[in-house]
Amino acid sequence: MEDNILDRQKEIEESIRKRFHKKIFSPFAKAINRYELLSPGDKVAVCVSGGKDSMLLAKCFQELKRHDKFPFEVRFIAMDPGYNGHNRRLLESNAKLLGVDLEIFSSDIFDTVVNVEKSPCYLCARMRRGHLYSKAQEIGCNKIALAHHYDDVIETILMGMLYGAQIQTMMPKLKSTNFEGMELIRPLYLVREDDIKRWRDENGLTFLRCACRFTDHCGVDKNHLAGRNLEDESKRIETARLISMMKEFNPYVESNIFRSMENVNVDTVISYKKDGVKHDFLDDY
């Protein structure tokens, strides 16, 4: 049995090195270099939720450590916010299968947000992040790595415009305002979700999708969450569908949305905020 698990680990790791090197590991490494996400001496807490993205992130970090280009430490942490037994076991079994030495700690976040009517997903995400920062700091890490990918970035940009009347993006790294000396990094920033799905499917892997109390079982697709008063998730689904529709007419729409945040012409912006202070073009007209 143990030999079979080791063989599977080798196959999965080999797929990242060979079949998916160009589509997954190369953009992972490119994001780290382009956005200066890692520095020698860093100690990174890779946050694993149990989904496909975070499990892949853990494997990419293992591969990066194998290259040993510069000294840094990595710890793999997972928070159990109140999973049912099936989901907890799936998280643990996948960590074992993939050879990820996962440190799991528990919280009561699901119990806290289950009866919240307004934006429970937003509150849950905020609370999860706070617990992860605390755990990372407790074990001596100076950075936490989250598994947001390219598609999350472009959906966030468009959601901000369509639903929030603002232009902003999901940043590749952020300094924490509540946890001194801590920084959040997103190494999958340039990795496409379709490539993550192909990596999962070609390796025959099954991960957690949504495991919260609103779905209360493993394997619930995002599309099934619409209409359950999960406002933020429904907006993201709508935005993803809109981008998919636009792509039928313009194959470059995704990269154009992404690159728009790198090509902001301040001379043609009516007003903008910097450090919480609003500036108007009339100030210097």
Side-chain angles (χ1 to χ4, degrees), residues 22 40 55 86 94 96 106 139 146 163 195 210 240 263:
K22 183 177 179 181
M55 283 295 192
H86 177 78
N94 276 330
K96 183 177 181 180
S106 298
I139 61 177
L146 300 186
Y163 297 105
D195 293 319
C210 182
N263 293 302

Side-chain angles (χ1 to χ4, degrees), residues 4-281:
N4 290 338
I5 290 177
L6 288 175
D7 289 341
R8 287 283 284 132
Q9 281 179 22
K10 290 178 182 177
E11 289 174 4
I12 293 164
E13 290 167 358
E14 194 75 7
S15 74
I16 295 173
R17 292 180 195 133
K18 294 186 176 179
R19 272 182 293 155
F20 291 95
H21 187 275
K22 183 177 179 181
K23 292 292 188 179
I24 288 177
F25 190 76
S26 285
F28 165 80
K30 182 179 179 180
I32 287 175
N33 293 325
R34 166 71 177 82
Y35 303 114
E36 300 177 358
L37 302 185
L38 289 178
S39 300
D42 277 343
K43 189 170 182 179
V44 185
V46 177
C47 302
V48 178
S49 67
K52 67 185 191 312
D53 308 325
S54 62
M55 283 295 192
L56 175 62
L57 179 63
K59 295 306 295 179
C60 285
F61 264 100
Q62 287 182 332
E63 181 66 14
L64 190 64
K65 283 291 291 180
R66 192 180 72 85
H67 286 250
D68 200 26
K69 291 288 182 67
F70 59 88
F72 74 97
E73 293 182 52
V74 62
R75 299 276 289 270
F76 302 104
I77 65 173
M79 182 186 62
D80 180 347
Y83 292 144
N84 62 37
H86 177 78
N87 290 331
R88 172 70 181 242
R89 288 190 294 274
L90 182 59
L91 171 64
E92 292 171 339
S93 63
N94 276 330
K96 183 177 181 180
L97 172 64
L98 294 173
V100 175
D101 186 13
L102 199 57
E103 303 172 48
I104 304 176
F105 65 101
S106 298
S107 75
D108 60 355
I109 289 178
F110 282 175
D111 288 335
T112 302
V113 304
V114 70
N115 294 316
V116 175
E117 293 185 6
K118 186 173 177 60
S119 301
C121 291
Y122 174 78
L123 178 60
C124 182
R126 288 293 298 269
M127 292 180 69
R128 282 183 187 227
R129 190 168 300 179
H131 278 71
L132 290 168
Y133 267 123
S134 294
K135 181 64 176 179
Q137 203 168 51
E138 177 188 315
I139 61 177
C141 294
N142 65 310
K143 292 181 177 178
I144 67 170
L146 300 186
H148 297 113
H149 47 65
Y150 185 99
D151 297 74
D152 290 322
V153 176
I154 61 175
E155 288 166 12
T156 298
I157 294 168
L158 207 54
M159 282 173 65
M161 296 175 65
L162 299 179
Y163 297 105
Q166 57 189 347
I167 297 176
Q168 62 178 20
T169 189
M170 180 181 284
M171 298 296 288
K173 62 180 181 181
L174 286 170
K175 291 182 179 179
S176 174
T177 55
N178 298 318
F179 295 85
E180 187 176 355
M182 296 291 294
E183 189 174 22
L184 179 155
I185 60 173
R186 295 183 168 107
L188 296 183
Y189 203 78
L190 301 177
V191 178
R192 299 304 311 267
E193 185 177 27
D194 282 346
D195 293 319
I196 299 174
K197 289 178 178 177
R198 275 191 283 271
W199 169 79
R200 174 199 65 195
D201 296 342
E202 289 189 24
N203 282 290
L205 298 168
T206 302
F207 297 117
L208 289 177
R209 295 189 187 178
C210 182
C212 72
R213 295 285 175 80
F214 293 98
T215 55
D216 205 32
H217 65 282
C218 175
V220 176
D221 191 85
K222 282 199 297 185
N223 293 308
H224 296 157
L225 299 179
R228 292 295 303 272
N229 199 30
L230 304 185
E231 186 177 2
D232 294 337
E233 197 63 43
S234 296
K235 288 176 181 176
R236 187 167 291 277
I237 292 166
E238 290 171 6
T239 304
R241 287 174 177 164
L242 176 60
I243 292 172
S244 180
M245 289 170 57
M246 294 169 66
K247 189 178 177 182
E248 294 180 11
F249 303 99
N250 178 4
Y252 305 106
V253 69
E254 293 159 313
S255 61
N256 286 346
I257 293 171
F258 185 91
R259 290 174 59 239
S260 69
M261 292 292 101
E262 299 176 346
N263 293 302
V264 177
N265 186 344
V266 179
D267 291 333
T268 63
V269 173
I270 300 295
S271 64
Y272 66 95
K273 287 182 179 179
K274 175 67 176 173
D275 298 326
V277 178
K278 188 172 182 178
H279 303 271
D280 194 279
F281 87 104

